[in-house]
mmCIF file of all heavy atoms in Angstrom:
data_model
loop_
_atom_site.group_PDB
_atom_site.id
_atom_site.type_symbol
_atom_site.label_atom_id
_atom_site.label_comp_id
_atom_site.label_asym_id
_atom_site.label_seq_id
_atom_site.Cartn_x
_atom_site.Cartn_y
_atom_site.Cartn_z
ATOM 1 N N ALA A 1245 -6.274 34.048 25.804
ATOM 2 C CA ALA A 1245 -4.975 34.268 26.440
ATOM 3 C C ALA A 1245 -3.865 34.423 25.406
ATOM 4 O O ALA A 1245 -2.838 35.058 25.677
ATOM 5 C CB ALA A 1245 -4.644 33.103 27.382
ATOM 6 N N SER A 1246 -4.044 33.852 24.211
ATOM 7 C CA SER A 1246 -3.034 33.940 23.166
ATOM 8 C C SER A 1246 -3.496 34.752 21.967
ATOM 9 O O SER A 1246 -2.694 35.450 21.340
ATOM 10 C CB SER A 1246 -2.640 32.528 22.698
ATOM 11 O OG SER A 1246 -2.011 31.802 23.718
ATOM 12 N N PHE A 1247 -4.772 34.668 21.638
ATOM 13 C CA PHE A 1247 -5.299 35.321 20.439
ATOM 14 C C PHE A 1247 -6.143 36.523 20.854
ATOM 15 O O PHE A 1247 -7.315 36.391 21.221
ATOM 16 C CB PHE A 1247 -6.145 34.348 19.614
ATOM 17 C CG PHE A 1247 -5.360 33.217 19.022
ATOM 18 C CD1 PHE A 1247 -5.079 32.081 19.766
ATOM 19 C CD2 PHE A 1247 -4.903 33.275 17.718
ATOM 20 C CE1 PHE A 1247 -4.355 31.030 19.226
ATOM 21 C CE2 PHE A 1247 -4.179 32.232 17.155
ATOM 22 C CZ PHE A 1247 -3.903 31.102 17.913
ATOM 23 N N SER A 1248 -5.549 37.698 20.822
ATOM 24 C CA SER A 1248 -6.232 38.918 21.231
ATOM 25 C C SER A 1248 -7.050 39.484 20.071
ATOM 26 O O SER A 1248 -6.801 39.167 18.904
ATOM 27 C CB SER A 1248 -5.208 39.959 21.675
ATOM 28 O OG SER A 1248 -4.414 40.370 20.567
ATOM 29 N N PRO A 1249 -8.016 40.365 20.364
ATOM 30 C CA PRO A 1249 -8.745 41.041 19.280
ATOM 31 C C PRO A 1249 -7.809 41.780 18.332
ATOM 32 O O PRO A 1249 -8.074 41.845 17.126
ATOM 33 C CB PRO A 1249 -9.665 42.003 20.035
ATOM 34 C CG PRO A 1249 -9.885 41.348 21.357
ATOM 35 C CD PRO A 1249 -8.583 40.677 21.684
ATOM 36 N N ARG A 1250 -6.713 42.316 18.851
ATOM 37 C CA ARG A 1250 -5.756 43.019 17.998
ATOM 38 C C ARG A 1250 -5.141 42.080 16.968
ATOM 39 O O ARG A 1250 -4.937 42.468 15.810
ATOM 40 C CB ARG A 1250 -4.662 43.643 18.860
ATOM 41 C CG ARG A 1250 -3.592 44.361 18.041
ATOM 42 C CD ARG A 1250 -2.558 45.005 18.941
ATOM 43 N NE ARG A 1250 -1.500 45.653 18.167
ATOM 44 C CZ ARG A 1250 -0.491 46.317 18.693
ATOM 45 N NH1 ARG A 1250 -0.399 46.441 20.014
ATOM 46 N NH2 ARG A 1250 0.425 46.861 17.925
ATOM 47 N N PHE A 1251 -4.861 40.837 17.369
ATOM 48 C CA PHE A 1251 -4.301 39.865 16.424
ATOM 49 C C PHE A 1251 -5.265 39.620 15.269
ATOM 50 O O PHE A 1251 -4.866 39.607 14.107
ATOM 51 C CB PHE A 1251 -4.001 38.548 17.142
ATOM 52 C CG PHE A 1251 -3.644 37.421 16.209
ATOM 53 C CD1 PHE A 1251 -2.373 37.328 15.677
ATOM 54 C CD2 PHE A 1251 -4.597 36.479 15.846
ATOM 55 C CE1 PHE A 1251 -2.040 36.304 14.798
ATOM 56 C CE2 PHE A 1251 -4.280 35.455 14.970
ATOM 57 C CZ PHE A 1251 -2.999 35.363 14.448
ATOM 58 N N TYR A 1252 -6.556 39.441 15.582
ATOM 59 C CA TYR A 1252 -7.540 39.197 14.524
ATOM 60 C C TYR A 1252 -7.647 40.405 13.591
ATOM 61 O O TYR A 1252 -7.741 40.254 12.365
ATOM 62 C CB TYR A 1252 -8.904 38.883 15.132
ATOM 63 C CG TYR A 1252 -8.950 37.600 15.919
ATOM 64 C CD1 TYR A 1252 -9.301 37.592 17.263
ATOM 65 C CD2 TYR A 1252 -8.640 36.385 15.321
ATOM 66 C CE1 TYR A 1252 -9.345 36.420 17.996
ATOM 67 C CE2 TYR A 1252 -8.687 35.204 16.046
ATOM 68 C CZ TYR A 1252 -9.038 35.227 17.379
ATOM 69 O OH TYR A 1252 -9.077 34.071 18.101
ATOM 70 N N PHE A 1253 -7.645 41.593 14.187
ATOM 71 C CA PHE A 1253 -7.751 42.812 13.376
ATOM 72 C C PHE A 1253 -6.544 42.939 12.443
ATOM 73 O O PHE A 1253 -6.702 43.227 11.251
ATOM 74 C CB PHE A 1253 -7.857 44.038 14.284
ATOM 75 C CG PHE A 1253 -7.843 45.342 13.538
ATOM 76 C CD1 PHE A 1253 -8.979 45.791 12.874
ATOM 77 C CD2 PHE A 1253 -6.688 46.118 13.497
ATOM 78 C CE1 PHE A 1253 -8.961 46.993 12.172
ATOM 79 C CE2 PHE A 1253 -6.668 47.319 12.810
ATOM 80 C CZ PHE A 1253 -7.810 47.750 12.141
ATOM 81 N N GLU A 1254 -5.353 42.731 12.974
ATOM 82 C CA GLU A 1254 -4.155 42.853 12.152
ATOM 83 C C GLU A 1254 -4.114 41.797 11.057
ATOM 84 O O GLU A 1254 -3.694 42.077 9.925
ATOM 85 C CB GLU A 1254 -2.911 42.756 13.034
ATOM 86 C CG GLU A 1254 -2.722 43.959 13.949
ATOM 87 C CD GLU A 1254 -1.508 43.810 14.849
ATOM 88 O OE1 GLU A 1254 -0.938 42.684 14.908
ATOM 89 O OE2 GLU A 1254 -1.123 44.805 15.503
ATOM 90 N N THR A 1255 -4.541 40.591 11.366
ATOM 91 C CA THR A 1255 -4.549 39.519 10.362
ATOM 92 C C THR A 1255 -5.537 39.830 9.254
ATOM 93 O O THR A 1255 -5.224 39.679 8.059
ATOM 94 C CB THR A 1255 -4.910 38.174 11.019
ATOM 95 O OG1 THR A 1255 -3.929 37.869 12.028
ATOM 96 C CG2 THR A 1255 -4.936 37.056 9.992
ATOM 97 N N LEU A 1256 -6.748 40.275 9.618
ATOM 98 C CA LEU A 1256 -7.753 40.606 8.615
ATOM 99 C C LEU A 1256 -7.302 41.779 7.755
ATOM 100 O O LEU A 1256 -7.479 41.772 6.522
ATOM 101 C CB LEU A 1256 -9.083 40.923 9.295
ATOM 102 C CG LEU A 1256 -10.258 41.249 8.362
ATOM 103 C CD1 LEU A 1256 -10.537 40.068 7.429
ATOM 104 C CD2 LEU A 1256 -11.505 41.590 9.180
ATOM 105 N N THR A 1257 -6.703 42.783 8.396
ATOM 106 C CA THR A 1257 -6.208 43.942 7.648
ATOM 107 C C THR A 1257 -5.134 43.539 6.646
ATOM 108 O O THR A 1257 -5.147 43.966 5.480
ATOM 109 C CB THR A 1257 -5.646 44.999 8.611
ATOM 110 O OG1 THR A 1257 -6.674 45.411 9.512
ATOM 111 C CG2 THR A 1257 -5.124 46.202 7.856
ATOM 112 N N ARG A 1258 -4.202 42.707 7.094
ATOM 113 C CA ARG A 1258 -3.139 42.250 6.186
ATOM 114 C C ARG A 1258 -3.718 41.400 5.060
ATOM 115 O O ARG A 1258 -3.291 41.507 3.909
ATOM 116 C CB ARG A 1258 -2.091 41.454 6.962
ATOM 117 C CG ARG A 1258 -1.035 40.832 6.080
ATOM 118 C CD ARG A 1258 0.113 40.266 6.868
ATOM 119 N NE ARG A 1258 0.956 41.312 7.423
ATOM 120 C CZ ARG A 1258 1.896 41.927 6.735
ATOM 121 N NH1 ARG A 1258 2.096 41.642 5.453
ATOM 122 N NH2 ARG A 1258 2.621 42.864 7.283
#
Side-chain angles (χ1 to χ4, degrees):
S1246 295
F1247 294 84
S1248 66
R1250 178 178 178 178
F1251 170 79
Y1252 295 121
F1253 175 77
E1254 291 178 349
T1255 300
L1256 182 60
T1257 301
R1258 174 170 287 278

